[in-house]
Amino acid sequence: MRVRDGDGGGEVTAPPQHLVFAYYITGHGFGHATRALEVVRHLVAAGHDVHVVTAAPEFVFTTEITSPSLHIRKVLLDCGAVQADALTVDRLASLEKYHQTAVVPRESILRTEAEWLNSIKADLVVSDVVPVACRAAADAGIRSVCVTNFSWDFIYAEYVVAAGHHHRSIVWQIAEDYSHCEFLLRLPGYCPMPAFRDVIDVPLVVRRLHRSRSEVRKELGIADDVKLVIFNFGGQPAGWELKKEWLPDGWLCLVCGASDTQKLPPNFIKLAKDAYTPDLMAASDCMLGKIGYGTVSEALAYKLPFVFVRRDYFNEEPFLRNMLEHYQCGIEMIRRDLLTGHWKPYLQRAITLQPCYDGPINGGEVAAHILQDTAVGKKYISGKLSGARRLRDAIVLGYQLQRAPGRDVGIPDWYSLSEKEISVRPTPTSHDMNGSAESSFEDFEILHGDMQGLTDTMSFLKSLSGLVGNDLRSPEKQTRERAAASVLFDWEEEIYVARAPGRLDVMGGIADYSGSLVLQMPIREACHVAVQRSDPTKQKQWKHTQARQLANGGAVPVLQIVSFGSELSNRAPTFDMDLSDFMDGDKPISYDKAKEYFSRDPSQKWAAYVAGTIFVLMSELGVRFTDSMSILVSSSVPEGKGVSSSASVEVASMSAIAAAYGLNIAPRDLALLCQKVENRVVGAPCGVMDQMTSACGEANKLLAMVCQPAEVKELVSIPTHIRFWGLDSGIRHSVGGTDYGSVRVGTYMGRKMIKCAASDLLSELLPSCTSMQSGDSNPDEYEEHGVDLLKSEASMEYLCNLPPHRYEAVYAKDIPETITGDVFLEKYGDHNDAVTEVDRKRSYCVRAPTRHPIYENSRVEAFKALLTASKTDEQLSALGELMFQCHYSYNACGLGSDGTDRLVNLVQEIRHRKTLRTGGPSLFGAKITGGGSGGSVCVIGKNCLKSSEEILEIQKRYKAATGYLPIVFEGSSPGACKFGYLKIRRRSTSPSN
């Protein structure tokens, strides 16, 4: 249901009886308090008592409402997102603080709040996103309503991905609390919130103005013609030293929340801590700050251009940002430019904007009217469409958390349209790689290479063609990434294009870093990268890049990158840097400094996968880049699905750069260099099989490789009667996640323990062997003691070189189930892994991670041999059994997930069910892939119609159980080496007669 402007008509009219409201406000920031203030003000004006439960300062309310009907109760019942600084959320700390604030004392909170609600005789409980308030209201027998644009189950769900699944019970508890709420008053710029049963959309909630623009400026002593920017980050961040030269000449800056000791330049004006921000915003020409509901809603309402800087892991931001930009009210500033003072081009651009929001801004009045009616028993919701809405939001919630670049069409049209209808964000059509373009790929002349009939490459060239001559002044709104890409290249010069696929892990998986044989299949989905090199004085540059160059004294080699697929994530679509940032004098900076460079702004950390290839080429091969470089990245390999999206980006990027600069790098060497990008620059402790498959794989063949470190054994043709599929569980996988890293640490701990045990045994045997050698004993007796074997095990580099029988006979009994980091380091010293560290306070699983690669290597060898066996069901059953064993070995390591287990169980159920249909089973096995902890499963079956039907059945049954429809990966494509590269140039157009 939508309540439009005017519904409720003017001030809220009091009903016959006096009402009591309990209004709970989250402890996350002032923005929630200021928007709740407007609703509270209207309720108090209607003659009701409102008890505000908050941790916010009282002055936020008492300066606006002076009435005995307002009661403030200072209680903290949730903590929101814990911020490390003004721009960064600490995800793990947020979950841990919420646990201490709301989970540990939960029973006491519920008891106390229910008693308090009954003691004040509350008629209705209102919650600005505080979950436990809804449950407490239910316990007290009182109806409850939420007023918000996001919910904490949505915000925290993505934090769980990084912090570990042991926190996920928090998300389920929050969602369950919200489900007790009668309905949600949903504010514009909303996130998916499937926990709420019913929804009413209300207008923007905006604080009213007290004074006019001229009155505010007169009080501040600022003339009407002076350009004024308000600096609004909710409190002056420590360490930010503002400088006079950061502003354009003649400009002044109002600084909100500056500390008492903060010294400001003469063109910066310190505002009082309790200054009324809406009046100051309306008196300004633009605002520089961070996105939040309060800043966005008031910028829209007062048509104030907003120069914003992203906050890391602030998951409601993409929705607010898209609404801001939809109304031509926002410009994004790169964090580096904020901190280094390159403000001028952004501010000057901001004052040319023409914000166009003309929607209602009386959300406080409308919400108060609905709350009053609800408190006296009025029913607003029919419930007719509630199930469909919740399903819709659940699908989009899953989509948002498991975003897949290149698959934007996965958002149902009816959701996009419903959002467009209330102007939340435009329908995502930024780079529909399957859609039509005005120009075709034939606009480009291919000077080198062959598209090899690959339809995705044709689509990529069509996408490039669509950028040529793009009119940025067109009234049709364009995505930021497409606007940036349209001015990235000089279309009259050569462009180099490379392509690298993702991979499906058939067998081997995490045993790669232990030296196992692995079997990998390059998938159909791939990443395309286009590179153009140019003279620094001739490169087409973005305005903020030009401004930085002028400030630094002239043209230097610059890297500019655009990444398609950022529009629905909190990932910046562009990245730029001076290539000299990679140098320390005449040498490249260290890997640690390079990693730190990309970690400073997580919204741009994705650039490490692309720009990191340049740094590795500089560090490892001594390449020096004196030209500027422009790069466009477009990937259809979904992120977080366990199909090597990162490796495809790295391999495609390095391949395109190598082509552009004439570097002849062997495929194996290129893969190893790309692994170094991920290990040393990105900081993810992956093995090398992903990069090797993306670089060296061939279509419809399994790359058989021994990871010691990367030796291709052979390319195994997939028998024509066998087929592999990938099925995505919808649970995001991350190689950089805590589970993967801790299992790798446990594996290397186990290797160190085995080597030490072998050394101890060797020490015991050597004296007796020496005495045998000095006597007349038979040399065969000397070998029976296994000295040579123990020597090789004591110096073992790869755990997979230890056979299973040897492990069980000699070492298994001494490998502990778990060990703490401090105990291990005390007894064994280092674990000898260059890309992970042992946390002294953490307990590591050791036995299962040690056992897994030893047995997995044996399973992979058997699997490879069976592929050439006779074509029988017994062959397929044996192959499937090996995959099932691998899957449960992952689980034993702690790398399983509910979703992947469900998919594997569905395959097992179909495999073993008795049917009247002839021909027996068609699907024979399945396993989790890659780094585990979510992602995709690999399924093996017969290459026939029945197996495809059963895959479809699994998709439908999984969706019925979880609400998520798995993506199916099927088909194969060539690796980057087999594809080579394209050198293209736009065809010259003949003048018209």
Side-chain angles (χ1 to χ4, degrees):
M1 175 178 180
R2 183 173 300 115
V3 178
R4 291 182 171 83
D5 189 18
D7 290 358
E11 287 295 322
V12 177
T13 303
Q17 70 264 44
H18 169 269
L19 299 171
V20 177
F21 295 88
Y23 207 129
Y24 288 80
I25 301 172
T26 184
H28 178 70
F30 277 12
H32 294 268
T34 57
R35 75 181 179 198
L37 168 66
E38 274 302 295
V39 183
V40 171
R41 186 174 66 82
H42 283 284
L43 291 172
V44 170
H48 306 304
D49 273 46
V50 181
H51 295 258
V52 174
V53 183
T54 180
E58 287 191 22
F59 76 81
V60 175
F61 299 91
T62 55
T63 54
E64 279 293 290
I65 305 172
T66 54
S67 168
S69 297
L70 174 67
H71 313 272
I72 307 293
R73 176 171 169 245
K74 297 296 289 291
V75 178
L76 180 66
L77 297 178
D78 71 353
C79 61
V82 177
Q83 295 190 210
D85 55 46
L87 296 174
T88 306
V89 170
D90 187 327
R91 293 170 290 178
L92 180 58
S94 298
L95 292 170
E96 290 178 342
K97 187 171 181 181
Y98 186 88
H99 180 76
Q100 293 301 321
T101 303
V103 177
V104 173
R106 177 177 174 81
E107 295 306 317
S108 173
I109 289 173
L110 289 173
R111 184 170 57 254
T112 300
E113 294 308 304
E115 291 173 358
W116 176 76
L117 289 170
N118 284 318
S119 72
I120 65 169
K121 296 181 171 56
D123 294 292
L124 185 70
V125 172
V126 187
S127 173
D128 186 323
V129 87
V130 179
V132 74
C134 304
R135 174 59 187 271
D139 289 351
I142 302 170
R143 300 164 73 188
S144 64
V145 175
C146 279
V147 185
T148 184
N149 65 304
F150 74 83
S151 56
W152 287 119
D153 54 335
F154 171 79
I155 301 298
Y156 287 161
E158 194 163 344
Y159 295 1
V160 170
V161 173
H165 290 304
H166 55 288
H167 286 290
R168 62 184 170 184
S169 61
I170 289 176
V171 175
W172 305 136
Q173 184 64 71
I174 290 172
E176 197 274 334
D177 284 348
Y178 285 141
S179 71
H180 293 284
C181 170
E182 185 146 330
F183 60 84
L184 164 69
L185 293 181
R186 186 170 63 178
L187 302 174
Y190 58 82
C191 306
M193 294 179 278
F196 294 99
R197 290 177 289 172
D198 289 303
V199 166
I200 301 175
D201 287 305
V202 297
L204 285 175
V205 175
V206 177
R207 287 179 289 176
R208 59 182 175 168
L209 296 180
H210 294 322
R211 292 172 295 171
S212 68
R213 172 187 171 95
S214 58
E215 288 173 336
V216 172
R217 283 183 170 244
K218 183 177 180 180
E219 181 179 319
L220 293 172
I222 299 172
D224 285 344
D225 60 348
V226 172
K227 295 300 179 187
L228 186 63
V229 57
I230 181 168
F231 185 76
N232 188 2
F233 279 88
Q236 177 69 9
W240 287 12
E241 182 183 352
L242 304 175
K243 298 181 180 180
K244 178 181 178 180
E245 61 270 21
W246 291 5
L247 296 179
D249 292 340
W251 282 57
L252 294 177
C253 179
L254 304 177
V255 181
C256 298
S259 66
D260 295 335
T261 58
Q262 178 77 25
K263 294 182 179 180
L264 297 178
N267 52 349
F268 287 77
I269 300 170
K270 186 184 300 186
L271 297 172
K273 281 191 170 20
D274 59 352
Y276 191 62
T277 310
D279 286 350
L280 295 163
M281 290 173 63
S284 299
D285 295 287
C286 63
M287 176 166 60
L288 172 56
K290 60 187 180 182
I291 284 181
Y293 179 84
T295 53
V296 169
S297 62
E298 288 167 0
L300 290 171
Y302 306 130
K303 294 181 168 56
L304 180 68
F306 188 176
V307 179
F308 61 87
V309 182
R310 293 178 192 242
R311 283 193 272 182
D312 307 330
Y313 314 118
F314 190 67
N315 298 336
E316 70 168 313
E317 183 173 294
F319 301 88
L320 295 172
R321 185 180 71 238
N322 287 327
M323 182 170 68
L324 191 70
E325 293 182 339
H326 180 77
Y327 292 110
Q328 301 175 39
C329 196
I331 293 176
E332 179 178 352
M333 177 185 281
I334 297 171
R335 181 182 301 189
R336 183 174 69 249
D337 288 342
L338 170 74
L339 299 177
T340 56
H342 292 291
W343 295 8
K344 294 178 183 178
Y346 299 97
L347 300 180
Q348 290 166 340
R349 167 67 178 140
I351 60 174
T352 69
L353 295 181
Q354 296 181 333
C356 59
Y357 182 77
D358 58 358
I361 58 173
N362 64 333
E365 174 192 335
V366 172
H369 184 88
I370 296 171
L371 294 174
Q372 177 182 268
D373 285 351
T374 303
V376 297
K378 181 175 180 179
K379 296 288 186 180
Y380 265 88
I381 301 298
S382 68
K384 181 178 179 181
L385 299 176
S386 62
R389 185 204 59 76
R390 294 182 78 192
L391 174 60
R392 181 193 72 190
D393 271 10
I395 291 170
V396 179
L397 171 61
Y399 177 88
Q400 281 298 131
L401 296 184
Q402 324 299 337
R403 285 178 291 271
R407 292 181 179 270
D408 289 352
V409 292
I411 285 191
D413 290 340
W414 34 268
Y415 184 84
S416 300
L417 290 172
S418 71
E419 292 203 286
K420 189 175 181 181
E421 186 181 349
I422 61 168
S423 300
V424 174
R425 69 169 184 234
T427 304
T429 58
S430 62
H431 61 288
D432 180 3
M433 301 303 288
N434 296 315
S436 61
E438 291 183 6
S439 304
S440 73
F441 62 86
E442 294 175 355
D443 287 344
F444 290 103
E445 181 182 3
I446 298 179
L447 305 174
H448 176 276
D450 179 6
M451 288 190 292
Q452 302 180 25
L454 293 165
T455 56
D456 61 341
T457 302
M458 296 179 190
S459 296
F460 178 69
L461 294 188
K462 279 186 179 181
S463 182
L464 287 181
S465 294
L467 298 174
V468 178
N470 206 15
D471 185 2
L472 297 181
R473 296 168 297 178
S474 169
E476 182 179 348
K477 182 185 181 296
Q478 300 189 60
T479 59
R480 286 162 294 134
E481 60 187 33
R482 195 162 185 84
S486 66
V487 294
L488 185 65
F489 297 124
D490 181 344
W491 300 108
E492 306 305 317
E493 299 298 328
E494 296 169 351
I495 298 172
Y496 294 81
V497 176
R499 178 191 183 279
R503 66 96 189 94
L504 182 64
D505 167 34
V506 175
M507 288 293 286
I510 57 166
D512 62 342
Y513 55 73
S514 296
S516 178
L517 173 69
V518 298
L519 295 172
Q520 307 296 307
M521 184 181 82
I523 60 175
R524 182 177 56 191
E525 290 75 9
C527 174
H528 286 84
V529 172
V531 171
Q532 185 177 74
R533 54 187 292 191
S534 55
D535 185 284
T537 61
K538 298 178 180 179
Q539 183 187 30
K540 299 179 71 173
Q541 293 182 346
W542 300 316
K543 288 184 178 180
H544 66 270
T545 310
Q546 291 174 344
R548 187 174 69 244
Q549 290 232 332
L550 290 173
N552 292 339
V556 295
V558 169
L559 170 65
Q560 295 186 143
I561 309 173
V562 175
S563 171
F564 280 168
S566 66
E567 286 303 299
L568 293 177
S569 70
N570 202 18
R571 172 161 62 87
T574 64
F575 174 84
D576 64 273
M577 64 177 291
D578 296 342
L579 287 174
S580 58
D581 291 348
F582 280 153
M583 298 298 291
D584 182 7
D586 59 350
K587 295 181 179 180
I589 60 177
S590 68
Y591 276 108
D592 287 342
K593 287 184 178 179
K595 179 180 175 183
E596 181 185 356
Y597 182 92
F598 290 106
S599 298
R600 289 183 300 190
D601 183 355
S603 74
Q604 291 192 319
K605 190 175 180 180
W606 61 267
Y609 295 98
V610 184
T613 63
I614 297 172
F615 177 73
V616 169
L617 289 172
M618 295 168 69
S619 298
E620 301 298 322
L621 301 186
V623 181
R624 295 295 177 264
F625 296 95
T626 56
D627 287 340
S628 291
M629 200 181 313
S630 300
I631 300 178
L632 174 63
V633 180
S634 178
S635 181
S636 63
V637 185
E639 298 175 21
K641 308 301 183 187
V643 288
S644 301
S645 57
S646 58
S648 65
V649 171
E650 294 154 358
V651 171
S653 298
M654 189 173 286
S655 297
I657 293 167
Y661 285 85
L663 305 176
N664 185 19
I665 306 174
R668 175 184 179 276
D669 295 338
L670 186 139
L672 289 168
L673 290 170
C674 289
Q675 183 199 20
K676 202 169 284 286
V677 173
E678 191 138 359
N679 286 171
R680 304 295 301 279
V681 182
V682 177
C686 70
V688 74
M689 72 178 189
D690 299 355
Q691 291 81 4
M692 283 291 292
T693 309
S694 190
C696 307
E698 293 187 16
N700 301 311
K701 295 182 179 180
L702 299 181
L703 182 77
M705 179 183 70
V706 177
C707 303
Q708 299 190 14
E711 310 306 325
V712 175
K713 204 167 184 179
E714 63 181 297
L715 288 159
V716 181
S717 295
I718 299 172
T720 56
H721 69 293
I722 291 177
R723 190 172 182 181
F724 295 102
W725 297 264
L727 281 174
D728 158 44
S729 67
I731 298 173
R732 191 175 180 88
H733 149 82
S734 172
V735 170
T738 53
D739 293 330
Y740 179 92
S742 65
V743 169
R744 175 165 175 150
V745 170
T747 304
Y748 276 83
M749 283 177 166
R751 188 190 69 165
K752 185 65 174 283
M753 292 175 183
I754 289 172
K755 291 174 69 174
C756 289
S759 295
D760 292 344
L761 290 171
L762 191 61
S763 299
E764 295 173 5
L765 285 177
L766 280 176
S768 60
C769 291
T770 303
S771 63
M772 287 182 182
Q773 286 181 304
S774 61
D776 297 327
S777 59
N778 190 319
D780 290 341
E781 294 179 17
Y782 167 70
E783 289 190 6
E784 285 177 7
H785 287 268
V787 172
D788 289 341
L789 192 56
L790 287 172
K791 283 182 178 179
S792 68
E793 291 164 356
S795 60
M796 178 175 55
E797 185 175 359
Y798 296 102
L799 196 53
C800 287
N801 290 337
L802 186 67
H805 74 271
R806 184 69 179 167
Y807 169 75
E808 295 293 349
V810 183
Y811 303 108
K813 63 183 182 298
D814 296 322
I815 303 297
E817 189 75 34
T818 61
I819 193 171
T820 59
D822 56 353
V823 170
F824 175 84
L825 292 173
E826 184 70 26
K827 184 173 182 179
Y828 296 100
D830 193 17
H831 68 320
N832 303 127
D833 180 19
V835 298
T836 58
E837 295 181 359
V838 176
D839 183 348
R840 286 185 172 274
K841 298 179 180 179
R842 182 164 188 168
S843 178
Y844 292 93
C845 180
V846 178
R847 184 179 297 163
T850 301
R851 189 179 190 275
H852 174 80
I854 294 171
Y855 279 84
E856 181 70 0
N857 185 57
S858 182
R859 284 190 289 264
V860 181
E861 289 176 342
F863 193 98
K864 178 176 173 292
L866 278 167
L867 284 173
T868 60
S870 58
K871 302 177 182 180
T872 62
D873 281 2
E874 286 75 16
Q875 175 209 28
L876 283 163
S877 295
L879 291 168
E881 177 61 28
L882 290 170
M883 295 179 76
F884 285 137
Q885 289 177 19
C886 172
H887 177 79
Y888 292 111
S889 185
Y890 262 77
N891 283 0
C893 293
L895 293 176
S897 75
D898 294 342
T900 50
D901 281 349
R902 184 181 293 274
L903 287 169
V904 170
N905 289 341
L906 286 170
V907 172
Q908 288 182 348
E909 183 180 326
I910 289 175
R911 162 81 177 86
H912 295 295
R913 71 184 174 189
K914 303 294 184 181
T915 67
L916 298 177
R917 298 173 63 181
T918 59
S922 294
L923 302 181
F924 288 85
K927 61 175 279 290
I928 195 170
T929 64
S933 298
S936 300
V937 301
C938 176
V939 181
I940 187 173
K942 289 181 178 178
N943 187 11
C944 63
L945 179 61
K946 180 184 174 185
S947 60
S948 296
E949 291 172 348
E950 291 176 346
I951 290 291
L952 179 60
E953 178 188 341
I954 290 172
Q955 282 183 282
K956 291 179 177 178
R957 291 176 63 181
Y958 190 84
K959 180 181 178 182
T962 67
Y964 181 85
L965 181 68
I967 296 170
V968 177
F969 300 101
E970 53 184 335
S972 184
S973 67
C977 173
K978 200 71 175 177
F979 178 83
Y981 68 90
L982 302 179
K983 181 165 70 171
I984 62 174
R985 183 171 55 207
R986 189 188 177 203
R987 295 183 188 276
S988 58
T989 54
S990 58
S992 58
N993 295 325

